[in-house]
Amino acid sequence: MADQVLKTHNLCAHYGDFQALFDLDLSIAEGEVIAIIGANGAGKTTLMRSIAGLNSNNAEQIVYRDEPIGALRADQVATKGIALVPEGRQLFPSLSVEENLIIGGRVGRKGPWNLKALYQLFPILEERRNQPSTSLSGGQQQMVAIGRALMANPDLILFDEISLGLAPVIIKTIYDALPNIIDDGMSAVIVEQDISKALAVSARFYCLQEGRVALEGDSQTVEREAISRAYFGVH
Ligand code: ATP
């Protein structure tokens, strides 16, 4: 089996007294793309936030290249090489497109991604580079959010709700760009509402239900009925 880039072990997450994740075990191999699916409230965003250092966890619950990172802050996790494209974009509204992108690069990691490469990937961002990020359409803002993450030159990129609420033409643009993004061995976790898209783009998937892994498997061979059962919690 290929080397693992990231592994969670008995990962739990809480919001006060409420437990959102229960003993989650998952792994991502070097260069692998995995999909996380599950109904609203299943825990997908919580999982992304935990890996990215935005929720507090025990150090050993998240291991990145043999190093326990569960207790690190988000900026420390970013420095290690993990970047999050958050649900809802979360751009800096008072900054221009280019300023948002440059902030992503502050992590200071070396790699193929810089402004020039990003503008080749999403030419519309170069046209809009000096505009406030809030003046862009939702889809263009998602491109900025992806660009900001790539500017950190991560080894592992986490897409939370990669296409939620976007127009079909933009979803196509983003999916068409994915092979260029996940190149040279970058690993990716994709949270996607559209199960067909999630399976098409990934090698393996995890289906969460109420904070637990209800089903995991090979994206290309899994039976849709099994996914439906896991997704909706039908036994
Ligand atoms: P969605 O598709 O709706 O974003 P999700 O699978 O990403 O769902 P999470 O957002 O991780 O799920 O939420 C998991 C559970 O944790 C839900 O029951 C949710 O209500 C709860 N939760 C999420 N954020 C908080 C919070 N800040 N405070 C309290 N409970 C929260």
Side-chain angles (χ1 to χ4, degrees):
M1 183 174 171
D3 285 346
Q4 278 168 359
V5 62
L6 187 110
K7 206 170 153 56
T8 71
H9 181 59
N10 287 344
L11 177 62
C12 296
H14 298 82
Y15 297 104
D17 290 339
F18 178 79
Q19 186 162 0
L21 296 181
F22 296 82
D23 300 321
L24 226 74
D25 285 357
L26 64 82
S27 64
I28 307 158
E30 292 280 355
E32 191 177 37
V33 178
I34 68 164
I36 307 290
I37 58 177
N40 285 347
K44 306 178 299 291
T45 293
T46 305
L47 172 62
M48 295 299 99
R49 289 175 54 85
S50 293
I51 297 173
L54 292 163
N55 283 349
S56 50
N57 295 98
N58 296 335
E60 303 289 340
Q61 289 180 339
I62 307 174
V63 176
Y64 178 67
R65 300 191 189 288
D66 296 329
E67 183 187 351
I69 62 157
L72 296 185
R73 294 187 315 265
D75 59 311
Q76 296 170 314
V77 172
T79 308
K80 300 274 174 206
I82 299 177
L84 173 67
V85 181
E87 184 176 9
R89 275 78 78 177
Q90 298 179 21
L91 302 179
F92 298 101
S94 60
L95 300 183
S96 70
V97 166
E98 190 156 293
E99 286 165 340
N100 267 282
L101 295 174
I102 287 169
I103 283 193
R106 283 209 190 144
V107 171
R109 291 171 52 86
K110 298 260 177 289
W113 292 104
N114 51 35
L115 285 175
K116 190 170 166 234
L118 276 177
Y119 291 151
Q120 267 169 13
L121 185 71
F122 297 130
I124 188 73
L125 298 188
E126 185 164 27
E127 283 174 36
R128 304 283 159 93
R129 59 198 281 190
N130 294 319
Q131 293 187 12
S133 59
T134 44
S135 70
L136 272 58
S137 70
Q140 291 163 356
Q141 290 190 27
Q142 179 69 323
M143 293 177 200
V144 179
I146 293 171
R148 183 179 58 184
L150 289 175
M151 285 288 281
N153 279 297
D155 291 336
L156 172 63
I157 186 163
L158 313 170
F159 296 96
D160 192 2
E161 302 290 8
I162 189 167
S163 66
L164 185 67
L166 303 181
V169 62
I170 298 284
I171 295 175
K172 183 171 183 320
T173 304
I174 287 174
Y175 270 93
D176 286 350
L178 268 186
N180 296 320
I181 294 172
I182 308 159
D183 204 0
D184 298 332
M186 193 191 288
S187 312
V189 181
I190 297 182
V191 174
E192 168 62 86
Q193 296 269 328
D194 181 329
I195 296 175
S196 298
K197 281 203 162 53
L199 295 178
V201 80
S202 61
R204 289 187 305 119
F205 73 93
Y206 292 83
C207 181
L208 302 189
Q209 197 212 331
E210 294 178 3
R212 293 182 167 87
V213 176
L215 185 70
E216 62 178 280
D218 184 309
S219 300
Q220 307 313 313
T221 58
V222 65
E223 287 178 13
R224 290 304 290 258
E225 202 186 316
I227 296 224
S228 298
R229 280 200 302 272
Y231 198 94
F232 296 110
V234 183
H235 298 291

